[in-house]
């Protein structure tokens, strides 16, 4: 039995309602495998430049312009590296239950970005870093997104030094190498 009490799973309707204030329209939950551009046994933070990793500038957690800066970095990286399809859709990783659970229910959902959006300033729980709660009450974002074609992964994350940045993984954007 878990120390968290009864496990409450979110429904798709719950996820849809949670994401709406951020300007994300829930299209549907993805069932089955989702192709990601990551090398075996590497998450985005462990990828290197040779894996197609591109980083935005870090933003300090205590920066008073944090929401505007992180949103701007996210938009630049999403646009430059091809997160959005023609309908402004992409996949977003969501926990449908407690992330700390031994076997969390993590799923990809397809979302459409509205004309008006605010991923950080909206304070949507699904886009919040749980780790940041250890040292600040402030809303600190953490989320992973994937292009619908599986060619690009984008991760906005908090680092142990108290900074946030956005990572794009896009292996097909590396210069050609000769072996």
């Amino acid at each position: 039995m878990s120390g968290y009490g009864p496990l409450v799973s979110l429904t798709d309707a719950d996820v849809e309602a949670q994401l709406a204030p951020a300007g994300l329209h829930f299209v549907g939950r993805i069932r089955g495998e989702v192709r990601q551009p990551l090398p075996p046994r590497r998450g985005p933070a462990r990828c290197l430049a040779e894996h197609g990793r591109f980083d935005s500038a870090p933003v300090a957690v205590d920066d008073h312009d944090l929401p505007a800066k992180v949103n701007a970095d996210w938009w630049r990286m999403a646009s430059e590296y091809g997160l959005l399809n023609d309908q402004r859709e992409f996949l977003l990783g969501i926990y449908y239950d407690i992330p700390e659970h031994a076997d969390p229910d993590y799923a990809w959902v397809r979302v459409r970005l509205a004309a008006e959006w605010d991923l950080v300033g909206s304070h949507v729980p699904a886009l919040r870093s749980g780790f940041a709660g250890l040292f600040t009450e402030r809303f600190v974002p953490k989320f992973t997104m994937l292009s619908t074609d599986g060619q690009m992964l984008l991760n906005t994350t908090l680092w142990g030094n108290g900074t946030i940045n956005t990572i794009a993984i896009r292996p097909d954007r590396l210069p050609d190498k000769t072996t």
Side-chain angles (χ1 to χ4, degrees):
M1 182 170 191
S2 168
Y4 295 104
L7 183 62
V8 177
S9 291
L10 299 174
T11 66
D12 287 345
D14 295 332
V15 171
E16 181 174 17
Q18 261 196 37
L19 296 178
L24 298 174
H25 172 73
F26 180 86
V27 176
R29 186 173 179 171
I30 305 299
R31 308 286 180 185
E33 289 295 312
V34 173
R35 185 174 70 112
Q36 298 182 40
L38 297 171
R41 297 174 302 285
R42 285 197 186 256
R46 291 191 57 225
C47 285
L48 305 172
E50 58 262 26
H51 300 124
R53 176 177 164 165
F54 303 89
D55 287 58
S56 71
V59 178
V61 169
D62 59 0
D63 188 316
H64 72 281
D65 289 331
L66 174 99
K69 287 179 179 179
V70 174
N71 277 336
D73 284 342
W74 176 84
W75 177 250
R76 182 184 61 76
M77 300 289 279
S79 299
E80 185 174 340
Y81 295 101
L83 177 66
L84 309 173
N85 69 13
D86 292 341
Q87 292 79 37
R88 296 173 53 101
E89 293 179 352
F90 56 92
L91 306 183
L92 171 66
I94 294 287
Y95 285 101
Y96 272 74
D97 60 13
I98 301 168
E100 295 83 8
H101 187 259
D103 188 22
D105 185 9
Y106 185 80
W108 291 101
V109 297
R110 189 178 192 116
V111 297
R112 183 177 308 113
L113 186 66
E116 299 287 326
W117 57 270
D118 185 352
L119 301 180
V120 182
S122 63
H123 296 198
V124 167
L127 305 177
R128 183 182 191 130
S129 168
F131 173 66
L134 297 175
F135 62 88
T136 183
E137 298 272 331
R138 186 170 196 190
F139 179 89
V140 176
K142 181 178 184 346
F143 45 81
T144 301
M145 300 167 172
L146 183 66
S147 61
T148 58
D149 64 6
Q151 296 294 309
M152 184 269 205
L153 186 133
L154 185 140
N155 180 248
T156 295
T157 195
L158 171 68
W159 299 99
N161 67 358
T163 62
I164 300 161
N165 83 317
T166 297
I167 301 168
I169 307 297
R170 187 77 200 223
D172 63 337
R173 297 278 178 99
L174 290 172
D176 288 336
K177 295 181 186 177
T178 57
T179 54

